[in-house]
Each structure stands twice: as C-alpha cells, then as structure tokens.
Coordinates of all heavy atoms in Angstrom, one line a residue:
M1 N -35.9 14.0 -8.7 CA -35.8 12.6 -8.7 C -34.3 12.2 -9.0 O -33.8 11.3 -8.3 CB -36.8 12.0 -9.7 CG -36.7 10.5 -9.8 SD -37.5 9.8 -8.3 CE -37.5 8.1 -8.7
A2 N -33.8 12.8 -10.0 CA -32.4 12.5 -10.4 C -31.4 12.8 -9.2 O -30.4 12.1 -9.0 CB -32.0 13.3 -11.6
K3 N -31.7 13.9 -8.5 CA -30.9 14.3 -7.4 C -30.9 13.2 -6.3 O -29.9 12.9 -5.7 CB -31.3 15.6 -6.8 CG -30.4 16.3 -5.9 CD -30.9 17.7 -5.6 CE -29.9 18.4 -4.7 NZ -30.3 19.8 -4.4
A4 N -32.1 12.7 -6.1 CA -32.3 11.6 -5.0 C -31.5 10.4 -5.5 O -30.9 9.7 -4.6 CB -33.8 11.3 -4.9
I5 N -31.6 10.0 -6.8 CA -30.8 8.8 -7.3 C -29.3 9.0 -7.1 O -28.6 8.2 -6.7 CB -31.2 8.6 -8.7 CG1 -32.7 8.1 -8.8 CG2 -30.3 7.5 -9.3 CD1 -33.3 8.0 -10.2
A6 N -28.9 10.2 -7.5 CA -27.4 10.5 -7.4 C -27.0 10.4 -5.9 O -25.9 9.9 -5.6 CB -27.1 11.9 -7.9
K7 N -27.8 10.9 -5.0 CA -27.5 10.9 -3.6 C -27.4 9.4 -3.1 O -26.5 9.0 -2.4 CB -28.5 11.6 -2.8 CG -28.1 11.9 -1.3 CD -29.2 12.8 -0.7 CE -28.8 13.1 0.7 NZ -29.8 14.0 1.4
Q8 N -28.3 8.6 -3.6 CA -28.3 7.2 -3.2 C -27.1 6.4 -3.8 O -26.5 5.6 -3.1 CB -29.6 6.5 -3.8 CG -29.7 5.0 -3.5 CD -29.8 4.8 -2.0 OE1 -30.3 5.6 -1.2 NE2 -29.2 3.6 -1.5
K9 N -26.7 6.8 -5.0 CA -25.5 6.2 -5.7 C -24.3 6.6 -4.9 O -23.4 5.7 -4.7 CB -25.4 6.6 -7.1 CG -26.5 6.1 -8.0 CD -26.3 4.6 -8.3 CE -27.4 4.2 -9.2 NZ -27.5 2.7 -9.3
L10 N -24.2 7.8 -4.5 CA -23.0 8.2 -3.7 C -23.0 7.5 -2.3 O -21.9 7.0 -1.9 CB -23.1 9.7 -3.4 CG -21.9 10.3 -2.6 CD1 -20.6 10.1 -3.3 CD2 -22.1 11.8 -2.4
Y11 N -24.1 7.3 -1.7 CA -24.2 6.6 -0.5 C -23.7 5.1 -0.7 O -22.9 4.6 0.1 CB -25.6 6.6 0.1 CG -25.8 5.7 1.3 CD1 -25.5 6.1 2.5 CD2 -26.3 4.4 1.1 CE1 -25.7 5.3 3.6 CE2 -26.5 3.6 2.2 CZ -26.2 4.0 3.5 OH -26.3 3.2 4.5
E12 N -24.2 4.5 -1.8 CA -23.8 3.1 -2.1 C -22.3 3.0 -2.4 O -21.6 2.1 -1.9 CB -24.6 2.6 -3.3 CG -24.2 1.2 -3.7 CD -24.5 0.2 -2.6 OE1 -25.2 0.4 -1.6 OE2 -23.9 -0.9 -2.8
L13 N -21.7 4.0 -3.1 CA -20.3 4.0 -3.3 C -19.5 4.1 -2.0 O -18.5 3.3 -1.8 CB -19.9 5.2 -4.2 CG -18.4 5.4 -4.5 CD1 -17.8 4.3 -5.3 CD2 -18.2 6.8 -5.1
I14 N -19.9 5.0 -1.1 CA -19.2 5.1 0.2 C -19.3 3.8 1.0 O -18.4 3.3 1.6 CB -19.7 6.3 0.9 CG1 -19.4 7.6 0.2 CG2 -19.2 6.3 2.4 CD1 -20.1 8.9 0.7
R15 N -20.5 3.2 0.9 CA -20.7 2.0 1.7 C -19.8 0.9 1.1 O -19.2 0.1 1.9 CB -22.2 1.5 1.5 CG -22.6 0.4 2.5 CD -23.9 -0.2 2.2 NE -24.0 -0.9 0.9 CZ -23.5 -2.1 0.7 NH1 -22.9 -2.8 1.8 NH2 -23.5 -2.7 -0.4
Q16 N -19.7 0.8 -0.2 CA -18.8 -0.2 -0.8 C -17.4 0.0 -0.5 O -16.6 -0.9 -0.2 CB -19.0 -0.2 -2.3 CG -20.3 -0.9 -2.8 CD -20.2 -2.4 -2.7 OE1 -19.1 -3.0 -2.8 NE2 -21.4 -3.0 -2.6
M17 N -17.0 1.3 -0.5 CA -15.6 1.6 -0.2 C -15.2 1.3 1.2 O -14.2 0.7 1.5 CB -15.3 3.1 -0.5 CG -15.3 3.5 -1.9 SD -15.1 5.2 -2.3 CE -13.6 5.6 -1.5
K18 N -16.2 1.6 2.2 CA -15.9 1.2 3.6 C -15.8 -0.3 3.7 O -14.9 -0.8 4.4 CB -17.1 1.7 4.4 CG -17.1 3.1 4.7 CD -18.3 3.5 5.6 CE -18.3 5.0 5.8 NZ -19.5 5.4 6.5
Y19 N -16.7 -1.1 3.0 CA -16.6 -2.5 3.0 C -15.3 -3.1 2.5 O -14.7 -3.9 3.1 CB -17.8 -3.1 2.2 CG -17.7 -4.5 1.9 CD1 -17.9 -5.5 2.9 CD2 -17.4 -4.9 0.6 CE1 -17.8 -6.8 2.6 CE2 -17.3 -6.3 0.3 CZ -17.5 -7.2 1.3 OH -17.4 -8.6 1.0
K20 N -14.9 -2.6 1.4 CA -13.7 -3.1 0.7 C -12.4 -2.7 1.6 O -11.5 -3.5 1.7 CB -13.5 -2.5 -0.7 CG -14.5 -2.9 -1.7 CD -14.2 -4.4 -2.1 CE -15.2 -4.8 -3.2 NZ -15.0 -6.2 -3.6
C21 N -12.4 -1.5 2.2 CA -11.3 -1.1 3.0 C -11.2 -2.0 4.2 O -10.1 -2.5 4.6 CB -11.5 0.4 3.5 SG -11.1 1.6 2.2
E22 N -12.4 -2.3 4.8 CA -12.4 -3.2 6.0 C -11.9 -4.6 5.6 O -11.1 -5.2 6.3 CB -13.8 -3.2 6.6 CG -13.9 -3.9 7.9 CD -15.3 -3.8 8.5 OE1 -15.9 -2.7 8.6 OE2 -15.8 -4.9 9.0
K23 N -12.4 -5.0 4.5 CA -12.0 -6.4 4.0 C -10.5 -6.5 3.8 O -9.9 -7.6 4.1 CB -12.7 -6.7 2.7 CG -12.5 -8.1 2.1 CD -13.3 -8.3 0.9 CE -13.0 -9.7 0.3 NZ -13.8 -9.9 -0.9
Y24 N -9.8 -5.5 3.3 CA -8.4 -5.6 3.0 C -7.5 -4.9 4.0 O -6.3 -4.6 3.8 CB -8.1 -5.0 1.6 CG -8.8 -5.8 0.5 CD1 -9.9 -5.4 -0.1 CD2 -8.3 -7.1 0.2 CE1 -10.5 -6.1 -1.1 CE2 -8.9 -7.9 -0.8 CZ -10.0 -7.4 -1.4 OH -10.6 -8.2 -2.4
G25 N -8.1 -4.5 5.2 CA -7.3 -3.9 6.3 C -6.8 -2.5 6.0 O -5.8 -2.1 6.5
I26 N -7.6 -1.8 5.2 CA -7.2 -0.4 4.9 C -8.0 0.6 5.7 O -9.2 0.4 5.8 CB -7.4 -0.1 3.4 CG1 -6.6 -1.1 2.5 CG2 -7.1 1.3 3.0 CD1 -6.9 -1.1 1.1
T27 N -7.4 1.6 6.2 CA -8.1 2.6 7.0 C -9.0 3.5 6.0 O -8.4 4.0 5.1 CB -7.2 3.5 7.7 OG1 -6.3 2.7 8.6 CG2 -7.9 4.6 8.6
F28 N -10.3 3.5 6.3 CA -11.1 4.4 5.5 C -11.3 5.7 6.1 O -11.5 5.9 7.3 CB -12.5 3.7 5.4 CG -13.5 4.6 4.6 CD1 -13.6 4.5 3.2 CD2 -14.4 5.5 5.3 CE1 -14.5 5.3 2.5 CE2 -15.3 6.2 4.6 CZ -15.3 6.1 3.2
M29 N -11.1 6.8 5.4 CA -11.2 8.2 5.9 C -12.1 8.9 4.9 O -12.0 8.8 3.7 CB -9.9 8.9 5.9 CG -8.9 8.4 6.9 SD -7.4 9.3 6.8 CE -6.8 8.9 8.4
Q30 N -13.0 9.7 5.5 CA -13.9 10.6 4.7 C -13.8 12.0 5.2 O -13.9 12.3 6.4 CB -15.3 10.1 4.9 CG -16.3 10.7 4.0 CD -17.7 10.1 4.1 OE1 -17.9 9.1 4.8 NE2 -18.6 10.6 3.3
V31 N -13.5 12.9 4.3 CA -13.3 14.3 4.7 C -14.7 15.0 4.6 O -15.6 14.5 3.9 CB -12.3 15.1 3.9 CG1 -10.9 14.5 4.0 CG2 -12.7 15.1 2.4
S32 N -14.8 16.1 5.3 CA -16.0 16.9 5.2 C -16.3 17.3 3.8 O -15.3 17.6 3.1 CB -15.9 18.1 6.1 OG -16.8 19.1 5.8
R33 N -17.5 17.4 3.4 CA -17.8 17.9 2.0 C -17.4 19.3 1.8 O -17.3 19.8 0.7 CB -19.3 17.7 1.7 CG -20.2 18.4 2.7 CD -21.6 18.1 2.4 NE -22.2 19.0 1.5 CZ -23.4 19.1 1.2 NH1 -24.3 18.4 1.9 NH2 -23.9 20.0 0.4
F34 N -17.1 20.0 2.9 CA -16.7 21.4 2.8 C -15.1 21.6 2.9 O -14.6 22.7 2.8 CB -17.3 22.3 3.9 CG -18.8 22.2 3.8 CD1 -19.6 21.5 4.7 CD2 -19.5 22.9 2.8 CE1 -21.0 21.5 4.7 CE2 -20.9 22.8 2.7 CZ -21.6 22.1 3.6
F35 N -14.4 20.5 3.0 CA -12.9 20.5 3.0 C -12.5 21.1 1.6 O -12.9 20.5 0.6 CB -12.4 19.1 3.2 CG -10.9 19.1 3.2 CD1 -10.2 19.6 4.2 CD2 -10.2 18.5 2.1 CE1 -8.8 19.5 4.2 CE2 -8.8 18.5 2.1 CZ -8.1 19.0 3.2
P36 N -11.7 22.2 1.6 CA -11.4 22.8 0.3 C -10.2 22.1 -0.4 O -9.2 22.7 -0.7 CB -11.1 24.2 0.7 CG -10.5 24.1 2.1 CD -11.2 22.9 2.7
S37 N -10.4 20.9 -0.8 CA -9.3 20.1 -1.4 C -8.8 20.7 -2.8 O -7.7 20.7 -3.1 CB -9.6 18.6 -1.6 OG -10.8 18.5 -2.4
S38 N -9.8 21.2 -3.5 CA -9.5 21.8 -4.8 C -8.9 23.2 -4.7 O -8.1 23.6 -5.5 CB -10.7 21.8 -5.8 OG -11.1 20.5 -6.0
K39 N -9.4 23.9 -3.8 CA -9.1 25.3 -3.7 C -7.8 25.6 -2.9 O -7.4 26.8 -2.9 CB -10.3 26.1 -3.0 CG -11.5 26.1 -3.9 CD -12.6 26.9 -3.3 CE -13.8 26.9 -4.2 NZ -14.9 27.7 -3.7
T40 N -7.3 24.6 -2.2 CA -6.1 24.8 -1.4 C -4.8 24.5 -2.2 O -4.8 23.4 -2.9 CB -6.1 23.9 -0.2 OG1 -7.3 24.2 0.6 CG2 -4.9 24.1 0.7
C41 N -3.8 25.4 -2.2 CA -2.6 25.1 -2.9 C -1.8 24.0 -2.1 O -1.6 24.1 -0.9 CB -1.7 26.4 -2.9 SG -0.1 26.1 -3.6
S42 N -1.5 22.9 -2.8 CA -0.8 21.8 -2.2 C 0.7 22.1 -1.9 O 1.3 21.4 -1.2 CB -0.8 20.6 -3.1 OG -0.3 20.8 -4.4
S43 N 1.2 23.3 -2.4 CA 2.5 23.7 -2.1 C 2.6 24.6 -0.9 O 3.4 24.4 0.0 CB 3.1 24.3 -3.3 OG 4.5 24.8 -3.1
C44 N 1.9 25.7 -0.9 CA 2.0 26.7 0.2 C 0.8 26.8 1.1 O 0.9 27.4 2.2 CB 2.2 28.1 -0.4 SG 0.8 28.8 -1.2
G45 N -0.3 26.1 0.8 CA -1.5 26.1 1.6 C -2.5 27.3 1.5 O -3.5 27.3 2.1
Q46 N -2.2 28.2 0.6 CA -3.1 29.3 0.3 C -4.4 28.8 -0.3 O -4.4 27.9 -1.1 CB -2.4 30.3 -0.7 CG -3.2 31.5 -0.9 CD -2.5 32.5 -1.9 OE1 -1.3 32.5 -2.0 NE2 -3.3 33.3 -2.6
I47 N -5.5 29.4 0.1 CA -6.8 29.0 -0.4 C -7.3 30.0 -1.4 O -7.3 31.2 -1.2 CB -7.8 28.8 0.7 CG1 -7.4 27.7 1.7 CG2 -9.2 28.5 0.2 CD1 -8.3 27.6 2.9
K48 N -7.6 29.4 -2.6 CA -8.0 30.3 -3.7 C -9.6 30.2 -3.8 O -10.1 29.3 -4.3 CB -7.4 29.7 -5.0 CG -7.6 30.6 -6.2 CD -6.8 30.0 -7.4 CE -6.8 31.0 -8.6 NZ -5.9 30.6 -9.6
L49 N -10.2 31.3 -3.3 CA -11.7 31.2 -3.1 C -12.4 31.4 -4.5 O -13.5 31.0 -4.6 CB -12.1 32.3 -2.2 CG -11.7 32.1 -0.7 CD1 -12.0 33.3 0.1 CD2 -12.2 30.8 -0.1
D50 N -11.7 32.0 -5.5 CA -12.4 32.3 -6.8 C -12.1 31.2 -7.8 O -12.4 31.4 -9.0 CB -11.9 33.7 -7.3 CG -10.4 33.7 -7.6 OD1 -9.7 32.9 -7.1 OD2 -10.0 34.7 -8.3
L51 N -11.7 30.0 -7.4 CA -11.5 28.9 -8.3 C -12.8 28.5 -8.9 O -13.7 28.1 -8.2 CB -10.8 27.8 -7.6 CG -10.4 26.6 -8.5 CD1 -9.2 27.0 -9.4 CD2 -10.0 25.4 -7.7
K52 N -12.9 28.4 -10.2 CA -14.1 28.0 -10.9 C -14.0 26.5 -11.3 O -12.9 26.1 -11.5 CB -14.4 28.9 -12.1 CG -14.5 30.4 -11.8 CD -15.8 30.8 -11.2 CE -15.9 32.2 -11.0 NZ -15.2 32.8 -9.9
L53 N -15.1 25.9 -11.6 CA -15.1 24.5 -12.1 C -14.4 24.4 -13.4 O -13.8 23.4 -13.8 CB -16.5 23.9 -12.1 CG -16.6 22.4 -12.2 CD1 -15.9 21.7 -11.1 CD2 -18.1 22.0 -12.2
L54 N -14.5 25.5 -14.2 CA -13.9 25.5 -15.5 C -12.3 25.6 -15.5 O -11.7 25.3 -16.4 CB -14.4 26.6 -16.4 CG -15.9 26.5 -16.8 CD1 -16.4 27.7 -17.5 CD2 -16.1 25.3 -17.7
D55 N -11.8 26.1 -14.4 CA -10.4 26.2 -14.2 C -9.8 24.9 -14.0 O -9.8 24.3 -12.9 CB -10.0 27.1 -13.0 CG -10.6 28.5 -13.1 OD1 -10.8 29.0 -14.3 OD2 -10.9 29.2 -12.1
R56 N -9.2 24.3 -15.0 CA -8.7 22.9 -14.9 C -7.3 22.9 -14.4 O -6.8 21.9 -13.9 CB -8.8 22.2 -16.3 CG -10.2 22.1 -16.9 CD -11.2 21.6 -15.9 NE -10.9 20.3 -15.3 CZ -11.5 19.8 -14.2 NH1 -12.5 20.4 -13.7 NH2 -11.1 18.6 -13.8
I57 N -6.6 24.0 -14.6 CA -5.2 24.1 -14.1 C -5.2 25.0 -12.9 O -5.8 26.2 -12.9 CB -4.3 24.7 -15.2 CG1 -4.3 23.9 -16.4 CG2 -2.8 24.9 -14.6 CD1 -3.7 22.5 -16.3
Y58 N -4.7 24.6 -11.8 CA -4.6 25.4 -10.5 C -3.3 26.2 -10.6 O -2.2 25.7 -10.7 CB -4.6 24.5 -9.3 CG -4.6 25.2 -8.0 CD1 -5.8 25.5 -7.4 CD2 -3.4 25.7 -7.4 CE1 -5.8 26.2 -6.2 CE2 -3.5 26.4 -6.3 CZ -4.7 26.7 -5.6 OH -4.7 27.4 -4.5
K59 N -3.5 27.5 -10.6 CA -2.3 28.4 -10.6 C -2.3 29.2 -9.3 O -3.3 29.9 -9.0 CB -2.4 29.4 -11.8 CG -2.3 28.7 -13.1 CD -2.4 29.7 -14.3 CE -2.4 29.0 -15.6 NZ -2.7 29.9 -16.7
C60 N -1.2 29.2 -8.6 CA -1.1 29.9 -7.3 C -0.1 31.0 -7.4 O 0.8 31.0 -8.2 CB -0.7 28.9 -6.2 SG -0.6 29.6 -4.5
D61 N -0.3 32.0 -6.5 CA 0.7 33.1 -6.4 C 2.1 32.7 -6.1 O 3.0 33.3 -6.4 CB 0.2 34.1 -5.3 CG -1.1 34.7 -5.7 OD1 -1.5 34.8 -6.9 OD2 -1.8 35.2 -4.7
C62 N 2.2 31.5 -5.5 CA 3.6 31.0 -5.1 C 4.3 30.4 -6.3 O 5.5 30.0 -6.3 CB 3.5 29.9 -4.0 SG 2.8 28.3 -4.5
G63 N 3.6 30.3 -7.5 CA 4.2 29.9 -8.7 C 3.8 28.4 -9.1 O 4.2 28.0 -10.2
L64 N 3.1 27.8 -8.2 CA 2.6 26.4 -8.6 C 1.6 26.4 -9.7 O 0.6 27.2 -9.6 CB 2.0 25.7 -7.3 CG 1.5 24.3 -7.5 CD1 2.7 23.3 -7.7 CD2 0.6 23.9 -6.4
E65 N 1.8 25.6 -10.7 CA 0.8 25.4 -11.8 C 0.7 23.9 -11.9 O 1.6 23.2 -12.2 CB 1.3 26.0 -13.1 CG 1.1 27.4 -13.2 CD 1.2 27.9 -14.7 OE1 0.8 27.2 -15.6 OE2 1.8 29.0 -14.8
I66 N -0.5 23.4 -11.7 CA -0.8 22.0 -11.6 C -2.2 21.6 -11.9 O -3.1 22.5 -11.8 CB -0.4 21.5 -10.1 CG1 -0.4 20.0 -9.9 CG2 -1.4 22.2 -9.1 CD1 0.1 19.6 -8.5
D67 N -2.4 20.5 -12.4 CA -3.8 20.0 -12.7 C -4.6 20.1 -11.4 O -4.2 19.7 -10.4 CB -3.8 18.5 -13.2 CG -5.1 18.0 -13.5 OD1 -5.6 18.2 -14.6 OD2 -5.7 17.3 -12.6
R68 N -5.8 20.6 -11.5 CA -6.6 20.9 -10.3 C -7.0 19.6 -9.6 O -7.0 19.6 -8.3 CB -7.9 21.7 -10.6 CG -9.0 20.9 -11.3 CD -10.3 21.6 -11.5 NE -11.1 21.6 -10.3 CZ -11.9 22.6 -9.9 NH1 -11.9 23.7 -10.7 NH2 -12.6 22.6 -8.8
D69 N -7.2 18.5 -10.3 CA -7.6 17.2 -9.7 C -6.4 16.6 -9.0 O -6.5 16.1 -7.9 CB -8.2 16.3 -10.7 CG -9.5 16.8 -11.2 OD1 -10.2 17.5 -10.5 OD2 -9.8 16.4 -12.4
Y70 N -5.2 16.8 -9.6 CA -4.0 16.3 -9.0 C -3.7 17.1 -7.7 O -3.3 16.5 -6.7 CB -2.8 16.3 -10.0 CG -1.5 15.7 -9.5 CD1 -1.5 14.4 -9.1 CD2 -0.4 16.5 -9.3 CE1 -0.3 13.8 -8.6 CE2 0.8 15.9 -8.8 CZ 0.8 14.6 -8.5 OH 1.9 14.1 -7.9
N71 N -3.9 18.4 -7.8 CA -3.7 19.3 -6.6 C -4.6 18.8 -5.5 O -4.2 18.7 -4.3 CB -4.0 20.7 -7.0 CG -3.8 21.7 -5.9 OD1 -2.7 21.7 -5.3 ND2 -4.9 22.4 -5.5
A72 N -5.9 18.5 -5.8 CA -6.8 18.1 -4.8 C -6.4 16.7 -4.2 O -6.5 16.5 -3.0 CB -8.2 18.0 -5.4
A73 N -5.9 15.8 -5.1 CA -5.5 14.5 -4.6 C -4.3 14.7 -3.6 O -4.2 14.0 -2.6 CB -5.1 13.7 -5.8
L74 N -3.4 15.6 -3.9 CA -2.2 15.8 -3.0 C -2.7 16.4 -1.7 O -2.2 16.0 -0.6 CB -1.3 16.8 -3.7 CG -0.5 16.3 -4.9 CD1 0.3 17.5 -5.5 CD2 0.4 15.2 -4.5
N75 N -3.7 17.3 -1.7 CA -4.2 17.8 -0.5 C -4.9 16.7 0.4 O -4.8 16.7 1.6 CB -5.2 19.0 -0.7 CG -4.5 20.2 -1.2 OD1 -3.4 20.5 -0.7 ND2 -5.0 21.0 -2.1
L76 N -5.7 15.9 -0.3 CA -6.3 14.8 0.4 C -5.3 13.8 1.0 O -5.5 13.3 2.1 CB -7.3 14.1 -0.5 CG -8.5 14.9 -0.9 CD1 -9.3 14.3 -2.0 CD2 -9.4 15.2 0.3
A77 N -4.3 13.5 0.2 CA -3.2 12.6 0.8 C -2.6 13.2 2.0 O -2.3 12.5 3.0 CB -2.2 12.4 -0.3
K78 N -2.3 14.6 2.0 CA -1.7 15.2 3.1 C -2.7 15.1 4.3 O -2.3 14.9 5.5 CB -1.5 16.7 2.8 CG -0.2 17.0 2.1 CD -0.1 18.5 1.9 CE 1.1 18.8 1.0 NZ 1.2 20.2 0.7
F79 N -4.0 15.3 4.1 CA -5.0 15.2 5.1 C -5.0 13.9 5.8 O -5.0 13.7 7.0 CB -6.4 15.5 4.6 CG -7.5 15.4 5.6 CD1 -7.8 16.5 6.4 CD2 -8.2 14.2 5.8 CE1 -8.8 16.4 7.3 CE2 -9.2 14.1 6.7 CZ -9.5 15.2 7.5
G80 N -4.9 12.8 4.9 CA -4.8 11.5 5.4 C -3.6 11.2 6.3 O -3.7 10.5 7.3
K81 N -2.5 11.7 5.9 CA -1.2 11.5 6.6 C -1.3 12.2 8.0 O -0.8 11.7 9.0 CB 0.0 12.0 5.8 CG 0.3 11.0 4.7 CD 1.5 11.5 3.9 CE 1.7 10.5 2.8 NZ 2.7 11.1 1.8
L82 N -1.9 13.4 8.0 CA -2.0 14.2 9.2 C -2.9 13.6 10.2 O -2.7 13.6 11.4 CB -2.5 15.7 8.9 CG -1.4 16.5 8.2 CD1 -2.1 17.9 7.9 CD2 -0.2 16.8 9.1
A83 N -4.0 13.0 9.7 CA -5.1 12.4 10.5 C -4.7 11.0 11.0 O -5.2 10.4 11.9 CB -6.4 12.3 9.8
D84 N -3.7 10.4 10.3 CA -3.3 9.0 10.5 C -2.5 8.9 11.9 O -1.8 9.6 12.3 CB -2.4 8.5 9.4 CG -2.2 7.0 9.4 OD1 -3.1 6.3 10.0 OD2 -1.3 6.5 8.9
Ligands
ZN101 ZN1 0.8 28.2 -3.5

C-alpha cells in the first residue's frame, strides 16, 4: 500500500512540474529511471558500478572527489544541455 502511495505521489510531483514548466515557458525534461546520474563521473564520464547508497562522496579514479548528489546534478545538467 505504501509503495502504491509513493508511486502516486511521484506521479503527482511530475505532473505538477510539467504544469509549472509549461506555465513559465520552461522546457520540461525527464530522463530514464535507468540513467546512471549518480554513478557517472561528471568529470571524465567513467561509470562506477559499485557505488552504494551509503557512499555520500563520489570518488573517481580520475581524482574527482565530490558530493554524490552534486555529481548527479552536474550529470543531469549536461544531459539537459546535450538534449536541448
Ligand atoms: Zn572521473
């Protein structure tokens, strides 16, 4: 039951975001749920398959050390610019 409610809330959030974007003339983009935004290095593009949810700092072989959420945000921003 909780899973169904969470799914409904996510649907409502996406619906509201689409509505607000349209209202203010902003392009709405939605990536695939399988897009590896957290696991991809925003500097070199390497994908870290063993990244755990507990790993709050993203550390890459290229030397990048960055907050995992900020890293994901950078990857999503790049995706948006490429698709634009
Ligand atoms: Zn890297």
Side-chain angles (χ1 to χ4, degrees):
M1 182 69 174
K3 196 173 182 180
I5 292 171
K7 193 173 181 181
Q8 180 62 32
K9 294 289 183 190
L10 181 60
Y11 173 82
E12 179 60 17
L13 174 68
I14 292 169
R15 192 190 70 77
Q16 284 285 335
M17 288 175 59
K18 285 180 181 174
Y19 165 74
K20 293 286 184 180
C21 285
E22 191 175 311
K23 183 177 179 181
Y24 295 106
I26 299 167
T27 303
F28 177 85
M29 290 180 163
Q30 187 173 1
V31 298
S32 162
R33 58 188 271 194
F34 300 109
F35 179 73
S37 59
S38 296
K39 295 183 175 183
T40 304
C41 175
S42 58
S43 178
C44 72
Q46 183 179 333
I47 296 175
K48 189 174 186 168
L49 295 174
D50 61 344
L51 185 73
K52 306 283 185 281
L53 195 56
L54 291 174
D55 299 333
R56 302 311 306 167
I57 302 294
Y58 185 95
K59 293 179 185 172
C60 183
D61 295 338
C62 73
L64 180 73
E65 278 194 38
I66 188 172
D67 178 85
R68 75 175 278 147
D69 294 334
Y70 185 58
N71 181 58
L74 291 174
N75 286 325
L76 291 169
K78 279 184 191 174
F79 179 87
K81 284 180 185 166
L82 289 175
D84 195 24

